[in-house]
């Protein structure tokens, strides 16, 4: 590979790293459930990626490479700080012009329940669920990002989804008891 090809590749990798910045934050937040820590982790991952842009051989595989760097940043943070899980849910309400206040409230409650359930998953399952189900990464990308075999990705995803299903179904309120009845 010539000097020009290497330079072009590094520029493409740097551009892709900057383009994936928001995705890194979302994934980091999903993994650690702390907005400030997620911002720090995403920033660390971007810095490391930009410093080591020459290591990325193919701009098309940068996404998996970035998630691997992010996973390593999180692992390093946990090793250094030995933090506890912060399960405080961040309430995000997405305004829907067609929905009424009841719909917005129900959507907000469901979002909080799902975020809390994901937050209670073991870290390995939480990482895989967020990358596959929310960030739409392939199993191979997740395996690369986390440094685990594809089979482990599949089993963690299966166990994580099963735990979420059981948690969300067990805690679901009976719809008959929550309806308002009209009296004539």
């Amino acid at each position: 590979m010539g000097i020009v090809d290497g330079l072009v590749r590094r520029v493409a990798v740097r551009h892709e790293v900057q383009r994936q910045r928001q995705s890194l934050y979302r994934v980091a937040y999903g993994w650690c459930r702390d907005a400030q820590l997620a911002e720090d982790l995403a920033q660390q991952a971007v810095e490391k990626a930009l410093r080591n842009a020459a290591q990325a051989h193919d701009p098309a595989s940068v996404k998996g490479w970035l998630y691997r760097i992010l996973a390593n940043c999180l692992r390093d943070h946990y090793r250094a700080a030995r933090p506890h899980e912060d399960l405080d849910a961040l309430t995000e309400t997405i305004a829907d012009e067609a929905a009424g206040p009841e719909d917005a409230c129900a959507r907000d409650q469901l979002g909080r329940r799902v975020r809390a359930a994901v937050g209670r998953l073991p870290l390995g399952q939480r990482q895989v669920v967020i990358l596959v189900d929310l960030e739409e990464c392939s199993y191979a990308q997740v395996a690369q990002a986390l440094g685990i075999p594809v089979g482990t990705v599949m089993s963690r995803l299966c166990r994580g989804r099963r735990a979420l299903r059981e948690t969300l179904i067990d805690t679901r309120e009976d719809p008959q008891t929550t309806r308002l009845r009209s009296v004539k």
Side-chain angles (χ1 to χ4, degrees):
M1 177 184 308
I3 294 173
V4 174
D5 290 336
L7 183 59
V8 169
R9 182 177 38 101
R10 279 195 298 270
V11 168
V13 168
R14 288 176 178 269
H15 175 71
E16 185 63 19
V17 167
Q18 292 298 339
R19 201 173 73 74
Q20 293 294 328
R21 176 78 171 85
Q22 283 299 90
S23 177
L24 286 171
Y25 172 79
R26 282 191 313 268
V27 170
Y29 180 78
W31 287 351
C32 68
R33 310 297 296 162
D34 180 327
Q36 185 60 47
L37 177 57
E39 182 66 34
D40 292 345
L41 291 171
Q43 183 63 33
Q44 286 174 10
V46 166
E47 287 174 7
K48 287 181 180 183
L50 291 176
R51 239 187 345 256
N52 300 304
Q55 291 180 359
H57 300 292
D58 179 16
S61 65
V62 169
K63 191 173 183 179
W65 180 64
L66 285 171
Y67 290 142
R68 175 67 182 254
I69 293 171
L70 183 65
N72 288 338
C73 290
L74 178 65
R75 191 175 302 117
D76 291 346
H77 171 77
Y78 281 155
R79 283 182 185 150
R82 295 185 185 239
H84 61 281
E85 294 283 337
D86 181 12
L87 298 179
D88 293 336
L90 175 65
T91 56
E92 298 173 0
T93 303
I94 300 173
D96 182 2
E97 296 172 9
E102 296 87 7
D103 294 331
C105 181
R107 191 174 48 252
D108 184 51
Q109 288 174 348
L110 177 62
R112 276 186 276 150
R113 284 184 40 231
V114 170
R115 283 190 297 275
V118 169
R120 286 191 296 270
L121 290 174
L123 180 60
Q125 291 176 16
R126 186 172 53 223
Q127 288 175 314
V128 170
V129 166
I130 289 172
L131 286 174
V132 172
D133 291 338
L134 300 180
E135 293 300 318
E136 299 177 353
C137 292
S138 70
Y139 292 174
Q141 288 174 322
V142 175
Q144 177 193 7
L146 300 179
I148 57 177
V150 173
T152 303
V153 170
M154 294 166 53
S155 64
R156 286 182 183 177
L157 183 62
C158 181
R159 287 193 309 268
R161 285 175 175 169
R162 184 180 315 123
L164 287 174
R165 187 178 317 111
E166 289 171 1
T167 299
L168 294 172
I169 289 174
D170 288 346
T171 60
R172 185 179 59 207
E173 295 179 14
D174 179 14
Q176 296 299 327
T177 62
T178 59
R179 284 195 183 139
L180 294 176
R181 294 184 186 188
S182 62
V183 179
K184 294 185 181 182

